[in-house]
Amino acid sequence: MLRKLKIAAVALPTLLIVAGFGAYMFARSAGHAQINGTMKLTGLTAPVTVLRDELGTPYIFAANTPDLIRAQGFVTTQNRLLQMELFRATWRGELAATFGPDALPSDIRMRVLGTRRNGERHAARLDPAARDLLQYYVDGINAYIANHVSDHPIELKLAGLAPRLWSVADLVTLVHFVHYTHSTNFKAEVVAQKLIDKLGGERAAQIMPLTINPDWSSQPVNAQRATPKPVGVAGLNVQWSDLTIAPDNLNHQGLGSNNWAVGPSRSKSGKAIVSNDPHLDNRILPGTWHPVGLFSPEVQAVGAAIPGLPGIMVGRTQHVAFGVTNAYGDVQDVYVETSDPANPANYMDGGRSVPFEVITENIQIKDKAAPGGVREQALKIRLTKRGPVISDHAGVGPTGDKLLVLRSTDAEVLGPVLGIEGLLTAPNAAAFDREVQKIDLMMFNFVFGDDQGNIAHRATGAVPIRSGADGGLPRLAPKDGKDDWTGFIPKDRMPGMVNPPRAWVGSANNDTRPQNFPWYYTNYVSPNYRYTRMGQVLGEAKAMTVDDHLALMRDNRNLQSDVLRGAIVAALKDDPAQRDLANLLEKWDGVDRADQAAPLVYQALYREIAIGTFLDELGPDALKDMLSTWYFWQQRFDAMVATPDSPWFDDVNTKDKRETLADVIRSAAPRARALIEAEQGKDTAKWRWGKSHTLRFVSPLRRNGSGQELLGGFTLERSGSGETLNRGVYDFQKPFAINFSASMQMVADLGDPDKIEAVLAGGVSERHFQPHQNDQAKLWANGERRAWWFNPEQAKAHAKDRMTLAP
């Protein structure tokens, strides 16, 4: 979830390599924000008090909720102005104006998707109460930008960004951008089409994603997609380079998180406990989340917010605690449409020739050689009635007359509310459930519990009901021109559960559909390893404490390894050249510890076995796309391993031999060994998973090269893997450095009247040479957490700094 909120910062290293930057910054004490005394916030109706604790977390005390939200916008901007401006430049498609041609693909992608256009149209349709809430927050942002220029972070100038005033439409567009980051299905559809192009529909169907919900009393042989029927057009021969919205990173689509709640019968306090650790690409300091405490006569809340949105998305209110994961509801479809051969300005719809809607936008690009240092590039965007043409070139398909069009709910479902408006004040779990059901454009799994002992889970978002084929593959535009999105899954029927007899609920990006769910929901979800492990522990737990919940977040048991480890040992134990690898795995308990060699050996073998299984059929290009998309193949591969003589293990290049899984393993072992030896040497006694499985925190101003530590960066070795609750996902093409991990950890025991216990994998402030840029990341790395104060008196008692915001 939210990974692409970092794309702007990814471009900075090549653009901000400033000699002597560290010494220069250190000398500029002006880079520190004002956190004591009085600052003016135009628009307040009464003074607001902002306290900050030892971690710099702001606790805001206001006389009324509008002032509270104004102050939240002000304080968030004070801590994250650079981050917010980069976010906005990203979703508006305006990065190239500051960072030059390297940022142009991102700008084109955002313009073609219409993120800004959709957000602006949506903002105009909000009802007055929803608009007012966002306007209060915008008032706070703009008061800081306009009236406190001397307090702005010096990093903003170094990045070449000049802040501009914000609007309600900017905040709504942020929600549309979050929608885009959640909506990875179109990428999976393109991967699926490439497999059909390579193998044909019948053969490709055998390796399409497999979804399994462990909660079902019985599982179909091949779960949701038992016999997928190929649709669309064979032979499209789609390449990522054909697409104007090709993802910025083709090598990973595995956003994930864990959340769960236990009822009073499993809690030592006798109250519900809610836990959450969102997994994001959180390597760029200070991280994704902004912590905050919010207090007014109507609101009592503490938790983590998305910079740019009011309220909190993870945390605790007066009556309800909640956390989120990505639900992966399928809200996108790639359509195969046909251009009119007689009129290139038109496309065919229901047998009629219909003109494209055409939008022309001008993208500014920083260019020293151009007059004024900026040049413009015109971008023509064509749209059918279903959405933008994303293969906008000569055409695809056997005759070159096919177009790929992306249809997405964020262009069509523009409701009167965003669905976040009532989260801070819901009086109980049932009311909170009704509030989150109003969310159309963010596909979350909310897990929540209330102070009355209720626990629940609900998936959010407006998910289309489709006629004909499901949404797993590109689909032909209906021949009759009718709409094949016939409605939306009723919000109260979306996946979820309330107070189940087992006394726990949870999600781990897995298939959460209830058994016999009548609608297609998605075919792209996480394998069930993390959710199954969660259930193993929670299903046996009694009298759980906060420590127990945090320990489960740090659990390193890799259930996927149980599928393949025995076959590896059997295949290698009699091979003198590889027997040492078999011995390491035979003694291993399946726990991915940083200080052991076995997890390293297993991951190297797992990767090479997958490559060896599919390379001969797919070739290097389609293989890279499929294996880089972890969720696409892992569960299906596990099912394949259960049939060791599956035709997929046979090498099609050896006509006189029929290989099995054991042959693939034996062939993979030398490659896996070579991979490890290249990084850690030949002595297996010195091999260590953590030496390769590292996580590097970096400044947005310098991601590579010397000086990273001076700017707050540091590197640590990590246990866990992509398959464990303690998440550490690596790029399949670049093993084994981590790019996705826990961005924060939060446990809210509703029996504790004073606090939640939490830690960010980052810090509160983006400003360099201050402890609060990375201090929580260091606590997180050491397995520590801190109190985030829910009781206003405790927040006051632990305050280190005090500021007054005056009207």
Side-chain angles (χ1 to χ4, degrees):
M1 171 184 80
L2 300 177
R3 175 175 64 91
K4 288 184 172 51
L5 291 179
K6 300 299 185 250
I7 183 174
V10 172
L12 283 171
T14 59
L15 306 162
L16 295 173
I17 298 188
V18 182
F21 169 77
Y24 172 74
M25 283 286 295
F26 201 88
R28 294 297 300 268
S29 61
H32 291 255
Q34 180 178 341
I35 55 177
N36 289 288
T38 300
M39 299 182 78
K40 183 178 180 180
L41 201 174
T42 304
L44 289 179
T45 63
V48 172
T49 299
V50 181
L51 307 179
R52 289 176 170 86
D53 66 10
E54 62 178 350
L55 298 175
T57 298
Y59 296 85
I60 304 172
F61 293 80
N64 55 73
T65 298
D67 281 354
L68 180 69
I69 301 304
R70 291 184 181 104
Q72 185 187 7
F74 184 99
V75 171
T76 304
T77 308
Q78 187 181 34
N79 285 333
R80 300 290 181 91
L81 180 56
L82 171 63
Q83 186 181 54
M84 291 168 62
E85 288 295 330
L86 287 171
F87 292 174
R88 182 167 63 166
T90 301
W91 69 61
R92 290 181 61 89
E94 296 176 349
L95 287 173
T98 300
F99 302 120
D102 287 348
L104 183 59
S106 174
D107 286 358
I108 291 173
R109 179 166 55 250
M110 291 295 105
R111 305 275 185 126
V112 171
L113 288 169
T115 307
R116 174 187 56 79
R117 298 191 301 273
N118 294 334
E120 290 176 348
R121 288 192 299 121
H122 194 175
R125 301 186 186 186
L126 292 177
D127 69 21
R131 171 174 285 277
D132 285 348
L133 178 70
L134 300 182
Q135 187 63 58
Y136 301 146
Y137 193 89
V138 167
D139 290 345
I141 295 174
N142 290 341
Y144 180 77
I145 290 174
N147 300 329
H148 298 282
V149 176
S150 63
D151 196 66
H152 290 182
I154 194 171
E155 291 88 343
L156 198 69
K157 293 181 180 179
L158 290 168
L161 288 168
R164 298 175 305 192
L165 297 182
W166 284 54
S167 68
V168 167
D170 286 322
L171 272 58
V172 178
T173 304
L174 171 55
V175 173
H176 282 250
F177 189 55
V178 172
H179 174 280
Y180 167 67
T181 69
H182 283 191
S183 307
T184 61
N185 181 262
F186 94 85
K187 303 170 191 174
E189 287 188 44
V190 173
V191 172
Q193 183 64 51
K194 293 186 75 170
L195 296 182
I196 291 173
D197 290 343
K198 183 71 176 180
L199 302 171
E202 183 176 350
R203 182 77 165 147
Q206 298 174 18
I207 55 173
M208 290 296 173
L210 174 62
T211 60
I212 294 176
N213 184 343
D215 290 338
W216 290 8
S217 59
S218 62
Q219 295 288 344
V221 174
N222 277 336
Q224 181 171 321
R225 295 181 61 82
T227 54
K229 297 178 181 179
V231 296
V233 179
L236 283 179
N237 297 317
V238 174
Q239 300 298 320
W240 289 110
S241 58
D242 296 336
L243 306 181
T244 54
I245 62 168
D248 55 287
N249 183 353
L250 301 180
N251 294 326
H252 185 62
Q253 298 170 34
L255 289 167
S257 305
N258 307 315
N259 62 3
W260 61 82
V262 298
S265 65
R266 295 192 183 277
S267 163
K268 185 175 182 179
S269 70
K271 298 288 186 178
I273 302 179
V274 176
S275 300
N276 190 199
D277 59 331
H279 305 155
L280 304 170
D281 186 347
N282 204 63
R283 293 171 292 175
I284 299 174
L285 295 166
T288 302
W289 302 99
H290 184 256
V292 66
L294 300 170
F295 303 98
S296 75
E298 304 84 13
V299 173
Q300 180 182 357
V302 65
I306 299 172
L309 286 181
I312 57 175
M313 293 304 297
V314 176
R316 178 181 179 180
T317 66
Q318 186 173 0
H319 299 292
V320 182
F322 52 94
V324 294
T325 69
N326 194 341
Y328 287 106
D330 186 353
V331 294
Q332 295 177 325
D333 277 330
V334 176
Y335 283 82
V336 182
E337 305 214 33
T338 304
S339 58
D340 182 351
N343 184 353
N346 287 21
Y347 67 100
M348 304 304 297
D349 183 55
R352 299 180 301 112
S353 179
V354 180
F356 291 102
E357 179 187 353
V358 179
I359 297 172
T360 300
E361 298 196 3
N362 292 315
I363 302 177
Q364 292 191 328
I365 306 167
K366 183 179 180 180
D367 184 347
K368 292 182 179 179
V374 176
R375 61 181 170 89
E376 285 194 348
Q377 177 173 314
L379 174 67
K380 185 175 77 171
I381 304 163
R382 296 187 297 169
L383 299 96
T384 74
K385 70 180 186 181
R386 296 173 186 86
V389 177
I390 61 173
S391 59
D392 220 344
H393 55 93
V396 297
T399 58
D401 65 339
K402 301 303 178 186
L403 304 168
L404 299 185
V405 171
L406 182 67
R407 186 177 188 182
S408 181
T409 57
D410 69 319
E412 302 183 24
V413 185
L414 309 178
V417 299
L418 299 181
I420 63 173
E421 294 82 2
L423 301 189
L424 289 177
T425 55
N428 51 49
F432 189 88
D433 190 10
R434 291 192 294 272
E435 292 299 324
V436 299
Q437 288 179 36
K438 298 175 184 177
I439 295 174
D440 289 325
L441 297 182
M442 294 185 286
M443 284 65 71
F444 283 123
N445 283 309
F446 275 91
V447 160
F448 46 101
D450 67 19
D451 54 6
Q452 299 167 40
N454 299 298
I455 58 172
H457 155 243
R458 178 68 65 190
T460 65
V463 177
I465 298 172
R466 298 156 168 93
S467 62
D470 66 29
L473 301 171
R475 57 202 293 119
L476 286 168
K479 292 181 179 180
D480 59 8
K482 292 182 179 179
D483 192 352
D484 56 354
W485 281 13
T486 60
F488 296 90
I489 297 175
K491 295 294 188 64
D492 61 354
R493 299 285 302 280
M494 287 282 282
M497 61 178 68
V498 178
N499 291 329
R502 68 189 188 185
W504 71 271
V505 296
S507 68
N509 318 108
N510 56 293
D511 182 5
T512 60
R513 295 169 303 136
Q515 195 153 13
N516 301 315
F517 195 63
W519 302 284
Y520 166 77
Y521 177 62
T522 186
N523 77 314
Y524 185 81
V525 292
S526 171
N528 63 358
Y529 321 129
R530 287 180 289 127
Y531 183 72
T532 298
R533 178 58 179 163
M534 184 189 302
Q536 288 177 347
V537 176
L538 296 180
E540 298 295 326
K542 296 179 181 179
M544 292 190 78
T545 65
V546 169
D547 285 338
D548 294 327
H549 285 262
L550 288 165
L552 184 54
M553 289 182 189
R554 298 172 187 136
D555 186 276
N556 297 311
R557 179 70 169 91
N558 181 348
L559 294 184
Q560 191 286 324
S561 69
D562 296 351
V563 175
L564 192 56
R565 188 167 72 247
I568 295 174
V569 172
L572 300 183
K573 65 181 180 180
D574 295 326
D575 180 352
Q578 311 298 344
R579 185 178 294 133
D580 55 344
L581 304 186
N583 290 340
L584 283 169
L585 294 181
E586 190 170 29
K587 298 173 183 177
W588 182 42
D589 59 2
V591 177
D592 289 331
R593 299 181 183 89
D595 61 356
Q596 291 191 355
L600 174 64
V601 171
Y602 181 78
Q603 289 288 335
L605 280 164
Y606 180 41
R607 181 178 177 277
E608 292 297 337
I609 292 165
I611 292 171
T613 299
F614 296 111
L615 178 61
D616 55 322
E617 285 96 347
L618 299 185
D621 181 57
L623 177 82
K624 176 184 177 182
D625 283 341
M626 188 182 83
L627 294 186
S628 295
T629 312
W630 289 95
Y631 291 177
F632 193 98
W633 63 272
Q634 284 184 290
Q635 200 88 66
R636 177 67 68 183
F637 183 69
D638 288 355
M640 198 178 294
V641 168
T643 309
D645 61 349
S646 165
W648 286 96
F649 296 125
D650 181 36
D651 187 344
V652 298
N653 298 311
T654 57
K655 303 300 182 183
D656 58 345
K657 183 180 179 183
R658 172 68 182 266
E659 285 84 5
T660 66
L661 173 60
D663 295 304
V664 175
I665 293 170
R666 283 189 283 268
S667 176
R671 300 194 304 272
R673 182 184 291 274
L675 177 67
I676 298 171
E677 289 180 350
E679 187 169 325
Q680 299 200 19
K682 294 181 179 295
D683 186 353
T684 59
K686 295 182 179 179
W687 290 358
R688 208 173 63 245
W689 175 226
K691 192 184 297 186
S692 296
H693 194 239
T694 57
L695 177 63
R696 185 176 62 164
F697 289 102
V698 297
S699 159
L701 300 181
R702 192 165 180 78
R703 289 196 64 188
N704 298 292
S706 60
Q708 295 172 61
E709 292 75 14
L710 182 63
L711 297 179
F714 63 98
T715 301
L716 60 148
E717 299 184 359
R718 294 291 292 171
S719 296
S721 67
E723 293 72 47
T724 60
L725 288 168
N726 182 24
R727 203 86 184 283
V729 184
Y730 61 85
D731 185 330
F732 191 93
Q733 303 301 326
K734 300 176 182 178
F736 296 98
I738 298 168
N739 54 11
F740 279 75
S741 59
S743 57
M744 66 170 292
Q745 294 175 326
M746 184 279 297
V747 180
D749 183 345
L750 287 150
D752 185 338
D754 290 331
K755 64 187 180 298
I756 64 175
E757 300 194 45
V759 65
L760 299 176
V764 172
S765 173
E766 67 191 0
R767 300 179 190 231
H768 291 65
F769 308 110
Q770 297 189 64
H772 303 319
Q773 178 207 24
N774 65 7
D775 52 354
Q776 292 195 54
K778 294 176 180 178
L779 296 173
W780 174 83
N782 291 328
E784 300 180 46
R785 83 276 190 174
R786 290 293 185 268
W788 292 10
W789 300 110
F790 171 70
N791 184 329
E793 297 307 315
Q794 290 292 341
K796 294 173 184 177
H798 290 85
K800 301 298 182 183
D801 299 282
R802 181 188 183 95
M803 182 171 69
T804 298
L805 299 177

